[in-house]
């Protein structure tokens, strides 16, 4: 028997499994920090991601609304992520074909500051069934993307992308 190996970077990076169930990407999601686009698995230094990213959403229907979640599933460290997930940002009611600044920020952007190991920071885009249907979570800590989506009647994600970051030493900042 031959084993089929997935080349999907979300599967290889264990985003599918740790954070999300398997899904089919059906929307364009572009995330960038200071004009540097996020690609699955690429590394960003924490000093370069200290401001809210620019997020563009594809699609052709301004009557569709989306929820964007940014989460870290590797808290406090990737070898023992017993506090996972930590919510870094949430924007809802984002109209299709726009960017996240047109949405409603339910949880403000929190700068990623990994202390131990290499952390994955995951952006997940969900299509909402209607406007103003998402309730804010009670806490950033122990967040669960799957449970949150189910509680707010969000279907499977329509897009996701992730980057890696680790603690930046003084020598790395030079």
């Amino acid at each position: 028997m031959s084993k089929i190996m997935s080349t999907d970077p979300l599967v290889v990076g264990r985003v599918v499994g740790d954070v999300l169930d398997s899904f089919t990407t059906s929307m364009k999601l572009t995330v960038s920090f200071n004009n540097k686009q996020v690609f699955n698995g690429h590394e960003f230094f924490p000093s370069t991601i200290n401001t809210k990213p620019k997020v563009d959403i594809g699609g052709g229907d301004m009557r569709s609304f989306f929820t964007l979640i940014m989460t870290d599933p590797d808290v406090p460290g990737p070898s023992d992520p017993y506090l996972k997930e930590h919510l870094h940002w949430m924007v809802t009611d984002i109209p299709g074909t726009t960017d996240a600044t047109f949405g409603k920020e339910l949880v403000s952007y929190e700068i990623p500051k990994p202390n131990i190991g290499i952390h994955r920071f995951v952006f997940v885009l969900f299509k909402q069934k209607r406007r103003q249907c998402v309730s804010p979570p009670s806490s950033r800590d122990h967040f669960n993307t799957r449970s949150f989506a189910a509680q707010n009647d969000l279907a499977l994600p329509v897009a996701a992308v992730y980057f890696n970051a680790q603690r930046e030493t003084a020598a790395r900042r030079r």
Side-chain angles (χ1 to χ4, degrees):
M1 271 204 275
S2 66
K3 224 179 184 181
I4 298 173
M5 299 299 283
S6 175
T7 57
D8 181 339
L10 295 172
V11 173
V12 174
R14 295 183 341 272
V15 171
V16 169
D18 289 354
V19 179
L20 305 169
D21 292 327
S22 187
F23 72 98
T24 301
T25 300
S26 59
M27 292 284 295
K28 183 177 179 187
L29 172 65
T30 306
V31 179
S32 51
F33 290 95
N34 302 315
N35 295 320
K36 290 188 173 127
Q37 187 173 341
V38 173
F39 292 101
N40 286 317
H42 286 206
E43 184 170 357
F44 279 83
F45 294 120
S47 60
T48 64
I49 53 178
N50 56 10
T51 58
K52 211 181 290 186
K54 183 177 186 328
V55 178
D56 291 310
I57 296 169
D61 185 1
M62 289 290 287
R63 294 170 296 177
S64 295
F65 294 93
F66 297 88
T67 293
L68 177 75
I69 293 172
M70 178 186 175
T71 184
D72 175 358
D74 299 317
V75 178
S79 61
D80 186 19
Y82 64 90
L83 294 174
K84 67 177 171 185
E85 300 166 41
H86 183 80
L87 181 63
H88 279 269
W89 193 32
M90 182 181 293
V91 183
T92 65
D93 296 335
I94 307 167
T97 73
T98 64
D99 65 57
T101 58
F102 287 92
K104 178 181 176 188
E105 192 174 62
L106 282 189
V107 178
S108 63
Y109 180 73
E110 181 180 272
I111 300 167
K113 294 179 186 172
N115 286 323
I116 305 165
I118 299 170
H119 288 236
R120 296 165 295 166
F121 293 90
V122 182
F123 293 91
V124 184
L125 187 66
F126 292 96
K127 186 173 183 179
Q128 296 172 204
K129 294 197 174 166
R130 63 191 180 288
R131 196 172 189 177
Q132 299 176 343
C133 67
V134 178
S135 301
S138 58
S139 171
R140 289 180 187 263
D141 295 320
H142 301 287
F143 183 78
N144 185 295
T145 300
R146 286 183 187 97
S147 296
F148 182 82
Q151 290 163 2
N152 286 278
D153 202 20
L154 301 171
L156 286 173
V158 294
V161 66
Y162 81 100
F163 68 90
N164 295 319
Q166 61 185 309
R167 186 174 178 190
E168 208 168 349
T169 62
R172 287 181 77 193
R173 278 188 227 118
R174 290 184 199 153

